[in-house]
Amino acid sequence: RKEVEQDPGPFNVPEGATVAFNCTYSNSASQSFFWYRQDCRKEPKLLMSVYSSGNEDGRFTAQLNRASQYISLLIRDSKLSDSATYLCVVNRYSSASKIIFGSGTRLSIRP
Amino acid sequence: DTGVSQDPRHKITKRGQNVTFRCDPISEHNRLYWYRQTLGQGPEFLTYFQNEAQLEKSRLLSDRFSAERPKGSFSTLEIQRTEQGDSAMYLCASSPSGNTEAFFGQGTRLTVV
């Protein structure tokens, strides 16, 4: 079983729709959590950090449930430019830092 | 540009040849990571440095792979006796501390023919 699991999609939704992605992680020692966005043939870029209290950045909302080891990302009023792969990322930091990526969820927004 | 830089951006090599990639992290970042990414997959962790010390190494990293960060600044990743299965994007990332996000370079795309 992979340490970070995501639904690979693809999600194909109309512009303006709300879409949600889920991610689970298996190592309870994981300490910090992120969503990254990756465009085709580009490097991953940080979309947002995920905090225990939940956090929002414009149309994007991230939630963390430590008890269930579950992370989510909600995108409201989706735009064509949101089409990308969204990567769930977990940082297991103790004596060494290990940043683990999920396989990514592909999102395609259609006009 | 003060971001993470990787060189070369693209490399085509014949099977059996050795290749070396370089990564220059953001200057104040003491943590440096190498990842490998193939089509349709997320980045797979290869190895991690804190300053010059290599603290963790994935089982994915066979003995043909070696990484160094001799002065705690730039890092190199060498693949010896390349195989077709080594074809992938090799990504380098750096971060300033253990609990923060990592910043990625644009990657080195390796094609083994």
Side-chain angles (χ1 to χ4, degrees):
Chain A
R1 184 188 169 196
K2 289 186 176 181
E3 190 166 339
V4 180
E5 300 251 27
Q6 289 183 253
D7 182 341
F11 285 64
N12 189 322
V13 302
E15 199 172 3
T18 295
V19 61
F21 306 139
N22 300 321
C23 168
T24 57
Y25 60 95
S26 59
N27 194 318
S28 58
S30 301
Q31 294 184 304
S32 53
F33 309 89
F34 309 94
W35 283 100
Y36 276 68
R37 171 190 169 131
Q38 187 171 28
D39 294 298
C40 189
R41 294 188 166 267
K42 300 283 190 180
E43 74 276 19
K45 291 187 177 176
L46 179 70
L47 177 67
M48 59 196 301
S49 302
V50 187
Y51 304 118
S52 297
S53 54
N55 49 300
E56 190 173 307
D57 183 0
R59 299 181 292 108
F60 299 84
T61 301
Q63 298 271 350
L64 166 65
N65 184 321
R66 285 187 186 270
S68 302
Q69 295 182 193
Y70 169 97
I71 305 159
S72 66
L73 177 69
L74 183 78
I75 306 175
R76 290 183 300 278
D77 187 24
S78 52
K79 312 290 184 193
L80 294 175
S81 58
D82 294 333
S83 297
T85 296
Y86 291 82
L87 297 159
C88 175
V89 182
V90 167
N91 187 344
R92 177 162 42 88
Y93 177 70
S94 54
S95 57
S97 175
K98 190 169 179 180
I99 299 178
I100 306 296
F101 284 76
S103 296
T105 299
R106 283 190 294 133
L107 173 65
S108 179
I109 307 296
R110 63 179 187 270
Chain B
D1 186 351
T2 57
V4 179
S5 64
Q6 292 188 243
D7 183 68
R9 293 285 307 279
H10 303 275
K11 178 71 177 178
I12 300 174
T13 191
K14 290 184 178 178
R15 191 174 49 187
Q17 297 294 303
N18 299 345
V19 294
T20 301
F21 310 142
R22 177 179 170 123
C23 171
D24 286 90
I26 294 170
S27 59
E28 62 269 25
H29 289 185
N30 60 6
R31 286 164 171 79
L32 186 148
Y33 307 85
W34 284 100
Y35 291 85
R36 178 173 68 189
Q37 187 173 27
T38 53
L39 199 62
Q41 298 297 314
E44 294 176 293
F45 174 84
L46 293 179
T47 190
Y48 156 69
F49 290 86
Q50 185 167 320
N51 300 310
E52 66 276 7
Q54 188 174 18
L55 295 186
E56 190 147 353
K57 194 172 168 180
S58 166
R59 285 170 296 192
L60 290 174
L61 225 60
S62 74
D63 54 10
R64 296 185 298 106
F65 287 71
S66 62
E68 294 183 342
R69 194 183 182 196
K71 297 180 181 178
S73 56
F74 73 92
S75 175
T76 57
L77 177 69
E78 182 184 15
I79 310 174
Q80 296 182 324
R81 305 182 303 281
T82 51
E83 301 172 356
Q84 286 190 315
D86 297 331
S87 295
M89 174 75 88
Y90 290 84
L91 291 161
C92 176
S94 69
S95 70
S97 66
N99 239 8
T100 59
E101 72 270 22
F103 297 83
F104 280 83
Q106 292 179 302
T108 294
R109 184 169 296 281
L110 173 67
T111 303
V112 182
V113 298

